[in-house]
Amino acid sequence: MLQLRHIEACHAVFQTGAITRAAGLLGISQPAVSKLIKHAEQQLGFRLFERIKGRLVPTREAEMMAPEIAKVFDQLGHLRRLGQNLAPHGQGRIRVGCIPSLGMSVVPDAIQRFQKAHPEISYEVSTQHTAQLIQSLMAQDLDIAVTFDPEPHMGIRAEKLGHSNLLYVGPARDRSAQRKEIRLPEIDPQQLIGLMESDPVGRLLDREMRSVGMVATPAIRVQTHSIACKLAEKGCGATIVDAYTASSFKDRAVEILRVKPDIGLNTVALHSDLRVLSRHSAAFIRYLKQACSAYSD
C-alpha cells in the first residue's frame, strides 16, 4: 500500500522528470527519492518510471495514476493550509474577499471608515468570483467574503448587508428626454450584453426575463459587470447590472435607468461556521452594512 511519502515522491518526479530535481523539491537526498520510488513500485507490483535518454518517463500505468496522485497532493495542500489558518492569529488583521463589483465600491468605502476608527488594523483584500470566494472561506484563507446572494452552502453563514435593484446601462441617448426607467420587455434581448449564468446576477436576470417570455441569446457574454458596462459605453449593446457597478459609470457616456418591474438582490457577507469571527471582523461587517446603505433603494 502506498504511503504518504511515496505519493509525495511520485508527484515530485512527475513534476520535474528527474530524481535530482525531485530531491531538491522535497528537500531530501537523491538516494532517498530513488529508494521511495523503488519501494512504491514494489508495493504496487509494477514499474512507475523508465529512464530514457537520461530522463525519467512515466510508464502507462503511472500516467493513469498521475491525475489521482495530483488530486491527493492538492487535498494535502488544502489540509495544510486549513491547519495553518485555523491556528490562532493576531486580532489585528482582517482578510476580506469580494466580487469585483463590490471591490470597486462597498469594500473600499468600509475600509476607509474602519481605518479611521481602528488605525491598528491591517487588511488583506482579494477579488474573486463567488464560487472561488466560497472555496477560500472553506479553506480558511478568508475571514469574510462579500458578494451577492449565493446558493446556500453547508458550513457557510450569510449575513445580509443591504438590498438594491438591478439597473439598465446602455449607450447614451439624448439626455433631454430625461427618462428614468425602462420596462424589461422594452429591452432588445438580442442587443443585451449578457452575464455568465454562474453569476448570481446573471441567474437572477435570466429567471426574470423568462418570467416575461424573454429569452436572451447575447452575442457577448461577460463575467465581470464593469466590462459589460464598458462595452455598453462603447456602443456594443446594453446590459443590466448591479447598482454598485452602474453608479461608477454615472458620469460616462451611458444611459442608466431603473428596470421595471424591479429586480432586487441582496448583498451579503459570508463567513465560515467553523470558527467564531474575531471581534474586529464582526465590527467590520457593521461598517460594510453602512457602506451598502449608500447604494440601497
Side-chain angles (χ1 to χ4, degrees):
M1 183 178 294
L2 289 183
Q3 298 176 2
L4 178 57
R5 280 310 261 172
H6 296 147
I7 293 172
E8 289 179 326
C10 290
H11 186 263
V13 177
F14 284 143
Q15 283 187 305
T16 63
I19 293 289
T20 304
R21 289 194 291 270
L25 191 64
L26 294 171
I28 60 178
S29 69
Q30 182 177 335
V33 176
S34 298
K35 185 176 179 180
L36 284 168
I37 296 297
K38 184 177 180 180
H39 191 239
E41 290 174 336
Q42 289 172 347
Q43 292 293 309
L44 293 167
F46 53 80
R47 293 185 64 80
L48 291 170
F49 300 96
E50 300 286 353
R51 187 174 293 278
I52 300 176
K53 295 182 180 180
R55 181 176 176 84
L56 287 181
V57 178
T59 61
R60 180 175 176 276
E61 292 83 359
E63 287 178 345
M64 294 176 67
M65 291 182 62
E68 299 306 316
I69 287 177
K71 288 180 185 177
V72 172
F73 199 79
D74 287 343
Q75 289 171 346
L76 287 170
H78 174 86
L79 183 60
R80 290 191 185 102
R81 291 198 312 275
L82 179 59
Q84 291 167 356
N85 290 327
L86 286 172
H89 286 289
Q91 297 293 302
R93 178 185 64 162
I94 299 174
R95 301 170 303 163
V96 57
C98 58
I99 57 175
S101 302
L102 301 174
M104 298 297 291
S105 52
V106 168
V107 172
D109 291 349
I111 289 177
Q112 180 190 35
R113 296 184 180 127
F114 200 75
Q115 195 174 43
K116 290 179 180 177
H118 303 276
E120 75 282 5
I121 300 297
S122 63
Y123 306 85
E124 292 179 11
V125 183
S126 60
T127 55
Q128 298 172 313
H129 293 285
T130 301
Q132 288 74 41
L133 288 172
I134 290 172
Q135 290 176 1
S136 295
L137 281 173
M138 295 179 71
Q140 300 293 324
D141 290 333
L142 293 175
D143 299 312
I144 302 167
V146 190
T147 185
F148 300 127
D149 267 338
E151 298 294 329
H153 280 77
M154 185 176 294
I156 300 295
R157 181 177 301 177
E159 188 169 340
K160 182 179 174 181
L161 299 175
H163 181 88
S164 61
N165 288 320
L166 300 186
L167 298 176
Y168 167 95
V169 179
R173 296 190 177 199
D174 182 2
R175 293 185 183 271
S176 63
Q178 292 187 337
R179 62 175 182 166
K180 295 183 179 180
E181 60 185 49
I182 185 170
R183 298 198 64 79
L184 192 57
E186 295 177 49
I187 300 169
D188 184 354
Q190 307 308 315
Q191 295 298 312
L192 196 64
I193 299 163
L195 304 173
M196 296 294 185
E197 291 181 1
S198 59
D199 182 289
V201 175
R203 288 197 302 269
L204 173 62
L205 181 58
D206 182 68
R207 185 167 63 245
E208 293 295 325
M209 292 181 70
R210 289 181 184 277
S211 72
V212 295
M214 297 174 67
V215 179
T217 55
I220 304 173
R221 195 180 289 274
V222 301
Q223 194 173 27
T224 304
H225 299 194
S226 59
I227 294 177
C229 291
K230 190 65 181 179
L231 287 166
E233 184 183 12
K234 294 291 184 180
C236 298
T239 191
I240 298 175
V241 297
D242 63 277
Y244 307 100
T245 302
S247 68
S248 65
F249 281 79
K250 63 183 179 182
D251 297 322
R252 308 280 191 91
V254 293
E255 181 180 43
I256 301 176
L257 305 172
R258 185 157 180 162
V259 178
K260 288 292 183 177
D262 291 339
I263 305 175
L265 78 165
N266 293 325
T267 306
V268 297
L270 306 178
H271 51 89
S272 173
D273 262 343
L274 293 178
R275 62 175 182 166
V276 178
L277 274 177
S278 71
R279 177 171 54 88
H280 286 309
S281 292
F284 184 69
I285 289 177
R286 294 196 291 272
Y287 279 71
L288 286 168
K289 288 181 180 178
Q290 293 172 13
C292 282
S293 66
Y295 301 88
S296 297
D297 299 298

